[in-house]
Amino acid sequence: MSLDINTKKAKKNAFRVSKERGIGASRIRVPGGYCPAEVLGLVQDIAKDFGNGYVHITTRQGFEIEGIHLEDMDAINERLQPIIDLVETNQEVSGTGYASSGTRNISACIGNNVCPFANYNTSKLARRIDKEIFPNDLHFKVACTGCSNDCAKARMHDFGVIGMTMPQYDPSRCISCEACVKGCKSLSVGALRIENYKVVRNTEKCIGCGVCITKCPTRAWTRSEKKYYKLSIMGRTGKKNPRLGQDWLVWADEDNIVKIIKNTYEFCDKYISPEAPARKEHIGYIIDRVGFETFAEYALRDVTLLPETIVKDRLYWGGIHFDQNNSEKL
């Protein structure tokens, strides 16, 4: 086997370089972690024909086919094409595999295809975002989660899209059983109370989770026809200062969230550190260096928010800091 492998090319082509020289893994995007079952068979065939027979299901809901000889990249890329077509991933030239490895696979919870708590179709939104931002070499992580339970751990990502609903109350169907009030108190934030045998919702306290809807036995509570979202930004794990993302927009709409994410790529193109290897620098690090106000100016460019959208003027992050004077600060 030839060891004259261009590892930079392999990495950009979404192949992982392993600790064994000349051996790596083929990384496969599955936006939202949702794909036709046919994809599994295709992954299996590539793993048997080119790998060591093992597949790693990644934390980002994609596949990594292990034991790949990097000299087989071209042949593997041709075999990846049916998978790319099935999951509808953007590709510059057919049969050449993935044009970038920077923007990570968009992850998502199961969403309202299955879950009674989810307020929207997470895999559908994940695919929409993937089409808007991939391929790109910038280091972005995005997660979509259907409700405030946050099964997708959205607040650990650069962008976390959290489903909301504006609960609709029909007092004529209410039997004052208080199931919604008890559910909101035990499973959410206690935004409901009974007054004169009817339920009153504290609109400032309500987080739009939809627990009241799932608990109501008479459908006095229903989901709003319009979809709403929270946008959490700049969460991350990693070395310097791991931290949870903060909710920047509340009661936002899908179109504006997608626009904001796209605008952030322009912000990063402008301000990413010239010393960042392979153009990989977390967005949060760039914002820390440049300033939140500059980021917000870029992110909200040409964005017209809904009247009901709440925008935080300034966000502050806690977490552990290892990047300040080489010491840990809380």
Side-chain angles (χ1 to χ4, degrees):
M1 180 185 67
S2 170
L3 297 180
D4 185 21
I5 301 295
N6 186 332
T7 56
K8 287 186 177 180
K9 177 183 176 182
K11 291 177 181 178
K12 182 174 174 59
N13 206 180
F15 285 85
R16 182 186 294 278
V17 176
S18 76
K19 62 183 182 181
E20 184 178 352
R21 190 175 183 188
I23 303 296
S26 175
R27 294 191 282 189
I28 297 174
R29 297 180 71 83
V30 186
Y34 194 74
C35 65
E38 182 182 352
V39 168
L40 305 180
L42 295 170
V43 170
Q44 178 186 18
D45 290 342
I46 297 173
K48 287 183 175 180
D49 293 344
F50 291 96
N52 60 12
Y54 280 83
V55 176
H56 175 65
I57 301 173
T58 74
T59 58
R60 301 211 59 77
Q61 301 175 322
F63 298 111
E64 287 196 10
I65 301 175
E66 297 181 4
I68 293 293
H69 292 264
L70 295 179
E71 62 184 8
D72 293 330
M73 284 190 299
D74 291 342
I76 293 168
N77 281 334
E78 291 183 5
R79 294 281 293 273
L80 289 175
Q81 190 59 48
I83 298 174
I84 290 171
D85 292 339
L86 283 168
V87 301
E88 301 176 357
T89 301
N90 287 338
Q91 186 183 30
E92 293 178 351
V93 180
S94 179
T96 58
Y98 301 101
S100 169
S101 64
T103 295
R104 299 299 190 244
N105 189 60
I106 314 297
S107 60
C109 71
I110 191 64
N112 68 2
N113 281 326
V114 176
C115 181
F117 297 103
N119 291 310
Y120 72 103
N121 187 321
T122 53
S123 58
K124 183 178 179 180
L125 179 56
R127 287 192 176 203
R128 177 183 176 184
I129 295 173
D130 189 72
K131 285 181 177 297
E132 295 281 358
I133 66 178
F134 185 81
N136 199 295
D137 288 326
L138 293 173
H139 191 88
F140 273 45
K141 293 180 180 177
V142 183
C144 301
T145 197
C147 72
S148 295
N149 286 336
D150 194 10
C151 295
K153 305 298 184 286
R155 289 191 175 88
M156 296 176 68
H157 292 71
D158 297 303
F159 290 102
V161 186
I162 303 169
M164 303 179 71
T165 188
M166 191 78 75
Q168 304 296 298
Y169 179 59
D170 182 355
S172 69
R173 298 184 68 92
C174 181
I175 58 174
S176 303
C177 67
E178 300 190 32
C180 60
V181 177
K182 295 173 183 176
C184 187
K185 182 179 180 181
S186 61
L187 299 174
S188 190
V189 298
L192 303 180
R193 67 181 188 276
I194 289 285
E195 285 186 8
N196 297 323
Y197 304 101
K198 298 300 178 186
V199 183
V200 176
R201 180 173 69 98
N202 184 331
T203 57
E204 293 184 0
K205 193 174 185 179
C206 175
I207 60 172
C209 64
V211 165
C212 53
I213 296 160
T214 63
K215 293 298 180 181
C216 181
T218 64
R219 289 188 58 79
W221 287 105
T222 54
R223 284 185 172 86
S224 54
E225 184 176 344
K226 183 185 292 187
K227 302 293 183 184
Y228 292 98
Y229 307 86
K230 291 178 186 174
L231 181 62
S232 170
I233 64 172
M234 304 312 120
R236 61 167 178 257
T237 55
K239 304 178 188 70
K240 291 185 179 180
N241 53 328
R243 64 194 186 192
L244 289 178
Q246 299 292 316
D247 294 343
W248 184 31
L249 305 183
V250 182
W251 304 111
D253 68 306
E254 180 179 313
D255 289 345
N256 280 330
I257 285 176
V258 172
K259 179 65 175 175
I260 286 168
I261 294 174
K262 291 180 65 177
N263 285 346
T264 302
Y265 277 82
E266 298 179 20
F267 167 78
C268 291
D269 274 329
K270 173 72 173 178
Y271 291 106
I272 192 170
S273 171
E275 299 177 357
R279 288 175 58 78
K280 287 181 173 59
E281 182 182 23
H282 277 288
I283 309 169
Y285 295 155
I286 303 174
I287 294 175
D288 290 346
R289 188 177 66 250
V290 176
F292 182 82
E293 290 77 11
T294 302
F295 159 73
E297 180 181 344
Y298 268 79
L300 294 175
R301 185 172 294 170
D302 299 323
V303 172
T304 303
L305 297 172
L306 300 175
E308 57 266 43
T309 300
I310 300 170
V311 187
K312 306 292 179 63
D313 292 331
R314 186 71 169 81
L315 294 183
Y316 300 90
W317 287 276
I320 302 171
H321 288 265
F322 295 103
D323 59 347
Q324 298 175 2
N325 299 322
N326 295 318
S327 63
E328 179 180 335
K329 296 182 179 180
L330 298 180

